[in-house]
C-alpha cells in the first residue's frame, strides 16, 4: 500500500465519530477531528497507538463531541502532538492541553497561511455551525486537502467564510442532510410553516436544544418567520446562549443584536407556561428529570415536541417520537445534498468524499 493515503477512522458512512488521518513528511501524520459516537457502546475511532504516536498535528474543527470527544482517550493512548484549534472550541470542549496552537479568530482581513512543520500550510475560515467552528485547507507534501468540518453557508446567527474558488486534491465535505436536496432557506421555511400550523391549532411547541450550536439559529429563525410567537426559555438555554454571544467575532452582527434583545425579553418557561406558545429547553435529549416531567405534562395537554437534531437511542425524545408526541425536522445546521452539489460547482475539487451521514458517496473528477 502506498503510504500516501487517507486513513478514515470514523465519520464516513456514519453520523458521528469523525476522524481522518493523512500522512505528510516522513512517517508523520496529521489528524482531522477526533470524534466519538456517543450512542455506541464502543464510541471511539480505532486508531492504533503507534499511529497516534506518529501524529504530529490534530486539527479540531469544533467543540461538538462527534468531533472532539476522543481527545482525552487519544491522549491516554499516546497522542502527544500539537492540537490546532480556536479558543471557543477549547473552551466549549473543555480541553486544557499544553501543546495547543491557538488560531486567531478569523476576520475580514486577508490572512497569510499558518506555516507548520513538514511543509504544511494551513488556511481556515468560519464554518457557520457554532462559535469557534472552522473549516481547514491544508497544503503540503501530500497535496491539498480541504476539510469542511460541520458547515452551513446560510446560517442565520453564525458567521460563515464561504468556501468558494478553492482548489483541492481531496475535499472531505459535510453532507449530514444527505436525504435533502433543498438548501437551508427552504428547509427552514418548511419547518416554520409546520410550526405555524401547530400553533394555529392552539397547541404549544416544545423544542429541546443542544448546549452549543443551533439554539441561536433557531431563535433567529423564529424571530424572522414567526415574529408574533410568544417564546419562553429555560435557565440553561438562557445562560448558554448568553455565553455564546460573548464570542462576537463568530456571530453575525445583526443576529447578535436580535439575540440580546430576545434574551432580555424572553420569560422563564416554568413560571410563564400559560403565556408561552413555544418553549426552548437547553436539554437536547431531555436528560433532566424536571424537563421530562414538564414535557410529559404538556404533551398530555396537547403540546407537540419538535426534534431538530440527532436522536439518542433510549432517550426520552426517542420514546416521544415513537408515541407520535414528537416529530422530527432537521434544522439545516449542516449541508444538504443540494448544498454539497453547490459547493462542488463553486470550487475545484479533484476528489470529494461526503461525510457525516449514513450514505456513502465519493466523487472523482476525470481529466
Ligand atoms: Zn457539529
Ligand atoms: Zn458533527
Amino acid at each position: 500500500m502506498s503510504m500516501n493515503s487517507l486513513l478514515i477512522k470514523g465519520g464516513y458512512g456514519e453520523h458521528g465519530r469523525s476522524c481522518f488521518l493523512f500522512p505528510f513528511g516522513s512517517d508523520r501524520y496529521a489528524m482531522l477531528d477526533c470524534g466519538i459516537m456517543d450512542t455506541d457502546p464502543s464510541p471511539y475511532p480505532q486508531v492504533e497507538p503507534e499511529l497516534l504516536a506518529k501524529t504530529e498535528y490534530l486539527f479540531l474543527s469544533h467543540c461538538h463531541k462527534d468531533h472532539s470527544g476522543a481527545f482525552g482517550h487519544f491522549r491516554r493512548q499516546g497522542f502527544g502532538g500539537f492540537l490546532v484549534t480556536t479558543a471557543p472550541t477549547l473552551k466549549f470542549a473543555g480541553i486544557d492541553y499544553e501543546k495547543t496552537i491557538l488560531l486567531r479568530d478569523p476576520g475580514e482581513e486577508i490572512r497569510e497561511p499558518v506555516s507548520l512543520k513538514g511543509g504544511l500550510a494551513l488556511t481556515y475560515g468560519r464554518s457557520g455551525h457554532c462559535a469557534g467552528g472552522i473549516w481547514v485547507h491544508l497544503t503540503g507534501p501530500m497535496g491539498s486537502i480541504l476539510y469542511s468540518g460541520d458547515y452551513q453557508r446560510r446560517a442565520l446567527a453564525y458567521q460563515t467564510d464561504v468556501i468558494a474558488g478553492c482548489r483541492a486534491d481531496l475535499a472531505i465535505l459535510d453532507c449530514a442532510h444527505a436525504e435533502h436536496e433543498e438548501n437551508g432557506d427552504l428547509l427552514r421555511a418548511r419547518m416554520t410553516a409546520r410550526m405555524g400550523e401547530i400553533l394555529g391549532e392552539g397547541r404549544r411547541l416544545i423544542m429541546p436544544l443542544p448546549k452549543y450550536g443551533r439554539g441561536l439559529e433557531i431563535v433567529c429563525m423564529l424571530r424572522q418567520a414567526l415574529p408574533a410567537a410568544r417564546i419562553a426559555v429555560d435557565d440553561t438555554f438562557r445562560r448558554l446562549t448568553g455565553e455564546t454571544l460573548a464570542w462576537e467575532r463568530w456571530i453575525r452582527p445583526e443576529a447578535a443584536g436580535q439575540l440580546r434583545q430576545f434574551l432580555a425579553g424572553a420569560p422563564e418557561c416554568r413560571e410563564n407556561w400559560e403565556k408561552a406558545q413555544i418553549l426552548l429547553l437547553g436539554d437536547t435529549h431531555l436528560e433532566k428529570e424536571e424537563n421530562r416531567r414538564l414535557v410529559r405534562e404538556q404533551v398530555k395537554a396537547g403540546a407537540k415536541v419538535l426534534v431538530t437534531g440527532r436522536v439518542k437511542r433510549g432517550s426520552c425524545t426517542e420514546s416521544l417520537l415513537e408515541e407520535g408526541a414528537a416529530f422530527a425536522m432537521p434544522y439545516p445546521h449542516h449541508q444538504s445534498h443540494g448544498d454539497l452539489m453547490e459547493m462542488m460547482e463553486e470550487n475545484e475539487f479533484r476528489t470529494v468524499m461526503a461525510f457525516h451521514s449514513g450514505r456513502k458517496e465519493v466523487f472523482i473528477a476525470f481529466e
Side-chain angles (χ1 to χ4, degrees):
M1 188 191 79
S2 151
M3 289 313 287
N4 205 20
S5 318
L6 179 78
L7 300 171
I8 302 166
K9 297 296 187 180
Y12 179 62
E14 59 182 357
H15 191 106
R17 203 173 0 229
S18 299
C19 185
F20 309 91
L21 287 124
F22 64 85
F24 71 99
S26 56
D27 212 22
R28 305 306 289 165
Y29 288 81
M31 186 185 284
L32 301 165
D33 281 344
C34 59
I36 56 166
M37 182 75 88
D38 64 358
T39 52
D40 196 324
S42 318
Y44 299 113
Q46 299 302 309
V47 184
E48 304 73 10
E50 310 81 70
L51 192 52
L52 286 173
K54 292 178 188 173
T55 302
E56 189 82 53
Y57 293 109
L58 164 54
F59 298 92
L60 207 52
S61 70
H62 66 293
C63 61
H64 295 156
K65 287 267 179 290
D66 58 326
H67 298 261
S68 69
F71 183 76
H73 174 70
F74 283 174
R75 280 285 294 133
R76 291 187 292 276
Q77 296 276 306
F79 169 72
F82 291 97
L83 173 66
V84 186
T85 195
T86 63
T89 298
L90 272 191
K91 164 97 172 42
F92 295 143
I95 294 174
D96 180 11
Y97 180 55
E98 228 171 61
K99 285 179 77 176
T100 298
I101 298 175
L102 209 52
L103 298 171
R104 286 197 313 173
D105 284 358
E108 309 311 320
E109 75 277 12
I110 296 162
R111 280 163 289 109
E112 292 296 311
V114 178
S115 295
L116 302 168
K117 286 187 203 173
L120 270 190
L122 163 74
T123 42
Y124 58 99
R126 291 165 291 190
S127 64
H129 181 75
C130 60
I134 52 169
W135 50 262
V136 297
H137 187 208
L138 289 149
T139 56
M142 75 298 172
S144 56
I145 297 178
L146 178 93
Y147 177 56
S148 71
D150 289 356
Y151 180 88
Q152 175 50 262
R153 68 186 287 174
R154 293 180 179 81
L156 300 177
Y158 296 106
Q159 293 272 22
T160 310
D161 297 307
V162 174
I163 300 170
C166 168
R167 289 169 141 226
D169 299 313
L170 171 67
I172 304 169
L173 306 179
D174 173 15
C175 190
H177 300 319
E179 67 284 12
H180 294 287
E181 289 302 329
E182 303 92 326
N183 69 31
D185 293 335
L186 288 165
L187 289 169
R188 275 191 291 260
R190 194 190 290 164
M191 185 182 292
T192 49
R194 181 80 189 99
M195 294 177 83
E197 284 167 18
I198 292 169
L199 299 183
E201 291 164 8
R203 295 172 188 271
R204 291 199 173 105
L205 267 166
I206 304 172
M207 300 182 76
L209 296 167
K211 282 187 182 173
Y212 303 110
R214 63 181 182 274
L216 281 75
E217 290 283 317
I218 281 171
V219 170
C220 292
M221 173 183 81
L222 294 176
R223 298 320 289 158
Q224 287 171 26
L226 299 166
R230 297 186 303 277
I231 307 169
V233 300
D234 74 347
D235 285 349
T236 313
F237 185 86
R238 184 191 303 281
R239 181 170 52 79
L240 297 174
T241 305
E243 266 180 37
T244 309
L245 280 177
W247 300 93
E248 275 175 19
R249 296 295 292 273
W250 302 84
I251 313 283
R252 290 177 190 270
E254 63 279 16
Q258 192 174 42
L259 285 157
R260 283 208 181 86
Q261 207 181 3
F262 169 78
L263 283 186
E268 211 286 323
C269 60
R270 256 161 274 271
E271 287 106 58
N272 294 279
W273 239 140
E274 305 315 315
K275 289 175 237 152
Q277 293 172 292
I278 301 175
L279 173 59
L280 307 179
L281 295 177
D283 182 5
T284 191
H285 303 301
L286 295 174
E287 284 167 323
K288 284 190 198 156
E289 174 57 36
E290 59 190 292
N291 287 335
R292 282 201 292 271
R293 207 178 319 124
L294 178 71
V295 169
R296 286 286 174 201
E297 275 166 28
Q298 289 299 321
V299 161
K300 247 187 228 162
K304 285 279 180 193
V305 179
L306 171 50
V307 179
T308 53
R310 200 173 49 86
V311 178
K312 193 170 173 179
R313 234 173 287 155
S315 65
C316 175
T317 30
E318 190 187 51
S319 5
L320 289 163
L321 282 165
E322 281 163 8
E323 293 158 27
F327 64 104
M329 291 182 101
Y331 183 83
H333 202 37
H334 287 275
Q335 294 211 102
S336 68
H337 198 259
D339 291 332
L340 177 80
M341 295 298 134
E342 183 184 30
M343 190 186 260
M344 282 166 60
E345 284 283 303
E346 294 181 353
N347 294 277
E348 273 182 65
F349 301 140
R350 288 182 61 187
T351 302
V352 169
M353 194 179 83
F355 84 106
H356 219 304
S357 89
R359 201 198 281 195
K360 292 184 172 176
E361 252 181 343
V362 172
F363 303 81
I364 299 165
F366 293 100
E367 302 294 302

